Amino acid sequence: MNGHAIQLEQTDAAVSKDQIRTALEVIHDARSSNKLRQEASDYLEKVKLDDEAPHHGYTIAADQSQPAVIRHFGLSLLDHAVRHRWNEYTVEQSTVLREWELDLARNLTDQDPPYIRNKIASIWVDIAKRSWALDWMDMDECLIGLWNGPLASKELVLAILETLSEDVWGHEDPIAGLRSTELSRACLDIFTPMTVLLDQDFSRGTNINVRYGEEGWLSRMGDLLEWCISQEGDDEARRACAVKTMITLRSVIGWAFPESLSTTRMTLRLCQALRSSYLPIQLAAVDTMHAVYNRTRLSENEFKALVVPMFMNDIVDFLQKLYDWSCVDATNIDEEKYLLLKKLSELVFNIVGLLGEHPTLIPIDSCFNTFLKLLINIAKNKSLQVSICALHAWVKILGSETLVASSPVASFIGELLEVCSQRVIKYEALPEDSPDPSVIFLNEDIDTMPERHLFLGNYMRFCKMITERIVQQSPADALYHILGSAEQVISHLYDGEPAFSMHSYSKTSIPFLKMDAQCSILEAGLKGSVRWLTARVGETGVHEQEVMLQNLKVWCDRILGLNFEDPSVKERVIQLAVGFATGPLKKDARFAFKIFDYILDTNYPDDPNYPSYSEAVKDLQGLCIHELQRLAMKFSDYLITIFDEVERKVSQVSQAVARDDNVRTRYYSVLFIITHRAASVDPQPRQERLETFLQPLVAQWQDSELTQSLSSFSMFCELLGCGGIQQYVSRRALHGIPDWSATPLDDEGKALQIQMQHALERLPLRATKAFLSVSVEKLEPNSTAQQMAGRLWEKMMPMILPNLLDMIKQAHAFHDAVNWKGLPPEMSGIVHRILTDRFWQIGISVGSRDEFYAKVGDTKNTVEGLASSIRATVRAVRETGYKLLCYMGLLGEHFYSYKELPQPLSAALFTDAHALSTHQMAILVETIRPVIENCPVASRSHFLPPILAGLFEQLDRKASDEWDMIEQRTRISEGRVSLDEEMRDESVLRQLTYTSVMLVVGLLDPNKPNPPDPKLADGAAPNGFRHIEHGNIRSFILATPEILKPLILFCTHAIRMRDTRSCSLITRVLGSLVPEFETDGQIDTEVREFLSTEVLKACITSLHDSYFVDLQKDLSQLIASIIIIYAPRTETPRQILLSLPSIPAEKVDQAIQQLYKAHQNTRQQRAIVLDLLESLRGVSISEQGRIAKPDPKKIRSAIEESYMTVDMQGDGQVKEKSPDLGGIADMFGRP
């Protein structure tokens, strides 16, 4: 387009319109051939590129006689010119374009369809982002001119204001980002009432005035909303305008000055809209109120103006009536009313969230008591998704010292405890077709099992936290209520249910679920009582404490006296009893011994004829041993005084009920714990006694036959009882059997299963794990017991480690088909089939977990059962070996100081790790991570390099190969793999990728402290140094090329791995590394060049991929960081950019200079990069028009999403996972 091209001959325009109309008719005519349709599309694309396209677009769009679809295409020609050619136009040409847009806006009519109005609004905003407050100064005046027109013009203005607000403040819009400072100030200027601007001492930053009039757009929109609502009636146009007004307000309220909301009486106007009888208006009103009350850190005046009115009598009464009206029947759900109900619940939660900021500002004459009643009613709602917001709100209220002490809160404690005790039942264990309304609502609200699992976990967590905080505040009354209710339920477990039967046994029976719920509430109450007792140490009121403890003891004795036939119910009783003993009654060692004795006396007859019952009995036995170990750790000083009696009884029980040597060893580990932890006995005799426990174990590890069996792969197979497997597989031609689960196992196969089971039991792995685990778990740092464990195992480890490492290495080699030399070449693929784990995965696997394990049990005597036995045997060796290394790592320098260990350890773990499946590799990473993180500072230089180098080389190889296979499978889909298998494989690969990335995050966290050094006091390092060996582990890695190179290579490849969660984290990790290599050291130069080439190319490639469209913010920030920091030192980033197609050198150089100037503004940096790479950026599928955008009614709110995607602490914070993510934001310095 040039100066002469703006004016066109009218005849040419007419011809163009006819051609365009014809082309559009061809495209939209279902009878058109693909060839004709393609030719028409090609013609229209050429029209967009023509210099005269803008004028064509204007004349077509302005012609009211044209069909709307033709006019919309005319608008798209204008839109294309503004978006893609604006910078080519002179000031005069851009002014003409703007005038055309203004003319189209002024001539919009009520008859024009919404998509015409929205397109005009979009073009307006695209022009504004490029020229408003620059050379277009009267935009506000133009908007007011439209505002004073008919309703259609008002709706156009609303669309413009909403889009402008979203692009400047909400979205990561690259064009708005280039001028973010000017545009954000201009928005504040025109939206805010002048009186508020004067109060806020608002500075525009320039002498430019873009404002017109005193009111500001918040005030004008508030007036319009009030007018629409006050005269709503059945006028559909006014109703639609009211909804549109609130949608626009919602986009503005989040960034507007809070004072402007009170000045414009916005909350009162929104409450009035909420009183409408028209559901869409109510929904829009509650959504907009969310934006008001989703703010934080309000000043006292802002709190009084925005929050206090919500506790006034008329508003609280109305909210209660609205809640009552919006409640729906689970069997006949009105979707819109139910949506309003959920949004109302979230609104009340947001109000409570603000209440905690200034609780003392709520007036005495407010209806706080009535508001709490509403909160209780919401908590009682049968829909858990409605109820959870109220429970979360109660957690916040009970966490406020001011609120929890108030009489209104105290009056609802009983009802609240009743709600919690009824709602801690495991809803996921109830059948999906249950008539329970809560289950019906749950099925309606949450489709996937992973989300349901997290949601119910958060729901139960809130119930427990409420109970705990209530008991902590008022233990006597609360415990009386809890214990009484629990005893009533426990005494009537089977009322209305069939009597217990082994034949029909189920782990999810209603009696068990009722028992489990009561135990959960009781355990929460016990935690609260412990907190109360701890807080009152040294205070008066000893008698009150003694009475409470005596009542707890009496109640527990009464429960222990009851008879329970269900082994799962007995499990919960034992867990609860140990909770009493180790919690509030922890000072009563005699009572603890009573529980100890009770557990030893627990013995249920096993009956293999009833597999489910038999499995529950085994679980009970395992639980009993675990709880005995807990009690032994807590009360070792008392138990050592009666050690002979304890030893005699433990020995009797182990001989009587233990089904194998492994179980007997675990019983004897209880005696080991008592001896080890009893501080009242002299260390020397204790150590000697402990050595006697371990000597038989060490003798097994040193057995020459074991060493010989580990010297070759074939002998290792014999050691595991697998020596005849290859011949059996070949002889029976198992590769030719399609369904192993349907093929019965012959006697030879069954004999092989028994042989493997006995071989595994003979290995010293499980016994070593039993004694080593209890030697290191739950020990105070630098305690006598910890020092004793170190000395004890320091003698033993050199005798264990050589064979242990060989065992792990051979277990890995077992997965490599190359080592199965007894199979003919055509059968090598069967190794993968035999060793591919069957596992149940939530959200992916078909059926429930119990159904999966039942199916596995049913195939025990089939060929698949034999394969399962082989996998289980090798898995036990492999994973038990990992755990032993983890436990040894907890011994500190006693383990890490062996100079000969790192290389053999790395070889054992990683030489054949590539042969492991994705699932098995993820387990290796997760279990070996503590070994890496616990490495003492003094041992890093010799221990970590071979371990981390080997690990990241294998991770990079495994993850990259598996993602390549997924990509290849996606491109060449031949139906050879079922959809379920594809989903499972990709899901497991995502888990491996994320586990690996989180390992990187933990290692490179600059705020991560070093492991405690028992040799140092008060954190002081020798020779006056705070850290040795390069400070924290991040500094050590960055200074160690042997580790750094494979780590960065893995990170680079991870940018292209199709897991958005992992990719986002990796871009932030790499972003934190970029400033570390600015200098001119040899390592710095090499790494800088790698980041400037390979990492930069990987980022650009992912930016081009539509899959990563949601990560463009992270990717563009990393690109910007590399350019800003490295371009002054090396030409490499510039050369990479110049190598890209369709990006001229002058544009690259201009972008680099702009980035230098924007070094303090990260949003502007991202916008510059995205603008530079606009022609390469991928677009979302919905943007491409390939799928429709989701229904707004189905889009979850941020609160709903949080309950289904993260584990939350009781206070509503994200539950920390290992490794700790708490410092990630600080670590990467990102907004």
Side-chain angles (χ1 to χ4, degrees), residues 261 265-272 289 292-293 305-306 309:
L261 302 181
R265 300 182 296 113
M266 195 59 67
T267 53
L268 296 178
R269 284 166 160 169
L270 290 172
C271 284
Q272 190 61 35
M289 292 180 78
V292 175
Y293 295 104
L306 297 178

Side-chain angles (χ1 to χ4, degrees), residues 1013 1016-1028:
D1013 188 341
L1016 305 181
D1018 301 324
N1023 304 320
F1025 291 100
R1026 178 65 180 163
H1027 299 300
I1028 54 178

Side-chain angles (χ1 to χ4, degrees), residues 251-266:
S251 73
V252 175
I253 282 172
W255 53 263
F257 292 123
E259 188 181 342
S260 63
L261 302 181
S262 56
T263 300
T264 57
R265 300 182 296 113
M266 195 59 67

Side-chain angles (χ1 to χ4, degrees), residues 157 196 311 888 1021:
V157 173
V196 177
F311 292 94
M888 290 178 182

Side-chain angles (χ1 to χ4, degrees), residues 52 83 200 238 342 398 434 549 568 604 616 682 741 758 794 830-831 856 1012 1119 1146 1154 1190:
E52 300 171 359
R83 286 174 179 264
Q200 295 285 339
R238 289 196 180 189
K342 290 188 283 189
L398 295 169
S434 168
L549 295 178
S568 296
Y604 278 59
D682 291 340
S741 299
H758 290 165
E794 188 174 24
I830 202 172
V831 177
V856 170
I1119 293 170
E1146 58 270 18
Q1154 288 175 327

